[in-house]
Amino acid sequence: MEERPYRSASGAPIALRRRQHSASCREVAVRCPRLQLRSLSAATSAVWLAAYGLFVLSQNSMVLSAAIFITLIGLIIYLHFVKIDQESLLVIGSLGIQVTSSYASGKESTTFIEMSQVRDVVINEAIHMQKVIYYLCILLQDPGDPQGVSEVVPLFQSSKPRLDCLIEVYKSCQEILEQRKTAPQSS
Amino acid sequence: MVLKIFFPSCCASAESGILIGRWISEQNSAVILAVAHFPFIPVQVKQYVSDVQRVAKVDVSVLGSWSNSKQEKEESLSEFLEDLGIIFSHEPWIQISKEGDSKFWNCSTLQKHSNNSKEEEIILVYYDQRKVMLSHLHPPLDTATSTDQQTADASRLSAIFDTVAKSKVLFMTDRYDDGPIKLTHWQSDGVEASIIVELMKQASVPVCMLLTFLLSLISGLCRSRVLKFWPLSFLWSKLSTCEQLGHRLQHLQVISSNKKAQNQTQLMRKANIFVSLLIDVALGMLLMSWLYRKNRIGHLADTLIPVADRVAEELQDLLQWLMGAPAGLKMNRALDQVLGRFFLYHIHLWISYIHLMSPFIEMILWYVGLSACLGLTVALCILSDIIALLTFHIYCFYVYGARLYCLKIYGLSSLWRLFRGKKWNVLRQRVDSCSYDLDQLFIGTLLFTILLFLLPTTALYYLVFTLLRLLVVIVQGLIHLLVDLIDSLPLYSIVLRLCRSYRLAAGVKFRVLEQQDGKPLRLLMQINPLSYGGVVQTYRLPTYSCYPKDSWTSLCKKLFLGELIYPWKHKGEKQD
């Protein structure tokens, strides 16, 4: 198990951790940039300054308590639904691929894709805002067409690692995916 | 090739014995359902297994041996276990052994007819048998439509869930039964049952029969010829209360039918309808108790007439304003006066009608309020109908204004075509050129000018009344939205997802447990519950109203041309 620092597409520091549980099971986790104290205090001060300005205009103290309430609720919603702490990929040969996102409040959202539905794991390019970035994605098999791709599942969308990190993850995944081609029976 | 063994966590501390389960050869996986303990007679075990196979229609067989030794491994036991492999010939024969309290087990397979001598890797997946048995796997919504492929390559997860769910008969014997074999599974400590559920099942049969009888009476009454005469049938179709009552009647028929629910979806549907009806009636009773306390009905009736008067007065003021110079625009005085007086006379008729009804309002409201005990949705529908009745004059004005404006627009467009020397060919449905006589052109131009200069007046009246009508429509629409929400929300499924989230599964998730080198990979399989959005989307109850199919552009076009708009249409009504 090792942890190495990399950079995300926007320049923030992220860390990649790889673990090998057995010959056909690997786990790769990317830790996203943490919530900065700077941005948190900036947002809170902005909301409270606006509320104080409204209070001076209207002389209604409800505005201040409403602002505190809004800040608290907004922070809870942000930590529970928006801020992703860690994204991980668990590849179990002949069972499937599991994609987990853990949020800052501890919530985990998991998706498991069976190996029979996975066609391949590839690195793709995409135009995101004003940049072209690389992203890793899982290609799902189209049940009707053996050569077709029915869906593309992008991975690591919130941490957006750069190409060097993606190549490491790609190599780890492909080593396991190749095993299913060399096996005598296909699963 | 990797061998996957699905082992129930309840059998982890069972005594030594043999493993009974299902072998799925195309996925190279073994699903262990139970452990049968020593002593047993192999012939009886084979008989029992084939009985289970016949009843449950699941391919159950003896898969291997399980040894749980408290002290060190005994050599004779391992030979005995290998001999068992010869008696119950199964390919491959799985041997799992656990020593003491160690978490890491030894798994090995015996293959008699194997070509490769390489040790294949074994993955041990623990699963919670009770949760997997009770859970219902929901396929992703896009693959649910393609059913022909599913039987061909059924996903391995659904195969495992199916195996455990269908083997219910295997789990019915517990350790207190005096059968030939002793099994360990999730129910082996005693079969679970609930007295309340059993009592309710027994009580529901006569209740359902009574309900069916009552419903057949009511529906027979509704279908009688008396109610089919023209004025009455027109009235029933326009009142939304009758639609809602018919909808609820249908729901009651679904619940009280004698047929048992075939599959999970139907069962959930019945449960959702039942809970929705219950909540509806409870909320309706609450509303009723609130209304009838402190004579609120009397207060409501007392304020109704003044409100209607006030609305009529406001309309009169509006018409006086339009008859003057509204917003500085200069109207055609003669047309203005005609239209204004026409509408004012209507309002006068309406006010007289309301005053005629005023002594009876309180009594009518009192009896109508009693129908709130049928449900909150019925009360809301009645409210919407009362609003429609009270603003009937606005609806009439809208229809007059719209028809007048529509006529004007069609006249103008036709005369504009005449102006340019063209004609609308009804047969060919296109515009053709046409040569007109001089007097036709003269009269046409005159009429065109007259209509054009009268257009602002008519357009203003049309605009004002359309806005009023849209306001009423929006209020009614909001009430109907609320009614639809109460009708279609699957409350039972949502509460099930909250309390017993393992019953609605979107998939599974694996957790890697502690590993040790040389021992097989240990994983824990847990159920990944369906998201709340998925629950609502899958189990939504169908409603009877369909929302506007018109896009905004076609709505604006209709408004511009003066065609009558009916934004909220019910299913089954003919489109205008």
Side-chain angles (χ1 to χ4, degrees), chain A residues 21-25 27 90 92-96 98 110-112 114-116 143-144 151 183-187, chain B residues 1-2 4 6 25-26 28 116 121 123 125 142 149 155-158 508-512 515 521 523 528:
Chain A
H21 295 290
S22 87
S24 66
C25 177
E27 188 176 355
L90 176 70
I92 310 171
S94 83
L95 259 183
Q98 175 166 294
T110 323
T111 323
F112 180 73
E114 294 180 39
M115 209 39 115
S116 55
E151 211 184 313
Q185 266 173 314
S186 61
S187 49
Chain B
M1 194 53 216
V2 181
K4 297 167 279 278
F6 291 86
S25 54
E26 54 273 3
N28 215 33
N116 52 344
E121 198 190 332
I123 299 182
V125 181
D142 46 340
Q149 272 291 340
S155 89
R156 61 173 48 134
L157 286 175
S158 56
V508 297
K509 53 187 178 198
F510 290 93
R511 210 177 75 198
V512 184
Q515 306 300 323
L521 178 69
L523 297 171
N528 201 12

Side-chain angles (χ1 to χ4, degrees), chain A residues 98-165:
Chain A
Q98 175 166 294
V99 182
T100 317
S101 309
S102 2
Y103 289 83
S105 63
K107 174 174 105 157
E108 279 190 8
S109 113
T110 323
T111 323
F112 180 73
I113 304 169
E114 294 180 39
M115 209 39 115
S116 55
Q117 286 178 343
V118 171
R119 175 121 191 268
D120 206 356
V121 171
V122 295
I123 298 183
N124 244 352
E125 291 172 328
I127 300 176
H128 172 74
M129 304 278 225
Q130 79 285 12
K131 302 192 275 244
V132 175
I133 56 167
Y134 294 97
Y135 67 99
L136 192 73
C137 59
I138 305 179
L139 300 176
L140 296 186
Q141 185 92 31
D142 191 6
D145 179 16
Q147 297 299 321
V149 172
S150 75
E151 211 184 313
V152 172
V153 178
L155 304 172
F156 303 121
Q157 282 185 293
S158 120
S159 49
K160 294 198 200 49
R162 289 193 180 167
L163 191 61
D164 46 2
C165 180

Side-chain angles (χ1 to χ4, degrees), chain B residues 276-323:
Chain B
S276 160
L277 267 172
L278 219 65
I279 299 278
D280 201 11
V281 170
L283 284 174
M285 297 280 203
L286 213 69
L287 181 71
M288 217 170 74
S289 73
W290 178 80
L291 266 181
Y292 283 88
R293 210 179 291 174
K294 294 188 196 162
N295 198 18
R296 285 217 177 88
I297 290 268
H299 292 166
L300 205 68
D302 285 341
T303 54
L304 210 63
I305 302 291
V307 161
D309 270 347
R310 180 82 197 287
V311 168
E313 258 178 46
E314 294 284 328
L315 269 178
Q316 272 175 334
D317 286 343
L318 184 71
L319 281 167
Q320 293 289 357
W321 180 67
L322 281 176
M323 272 164 51

Side-chain angles (χ1 to χ4, degrees), chain B residues 82-107:
Chain B
E82 277 184 29
D83 290 337
L84 277 179
I86 303 170
I87 303 174
F88 298 104
S89 56
H90 186 266
E91 184 77 13
W93 181 252
I94 300 171
Q95 287 172 312
I96 311 181
S97 71
K98 172 180 169 188
E99 277 146 38
D101 279 331
S102 158
K103 279 187 288 197
F104 306 106
W105 304 351
N106 292 316
C107 298

Side-chain angles (χ1 to χ4, degrees), chain B residues 184-199:
Chain B
T184 302
H185 45 75
W186 70 273
Q187 260 190 26
S188 57
D189 279 338
V191 175
E192 290 182 359
S194 162
I195 293 185
I196 299 178
V197 170
E198 296 297 320
L199 279 176

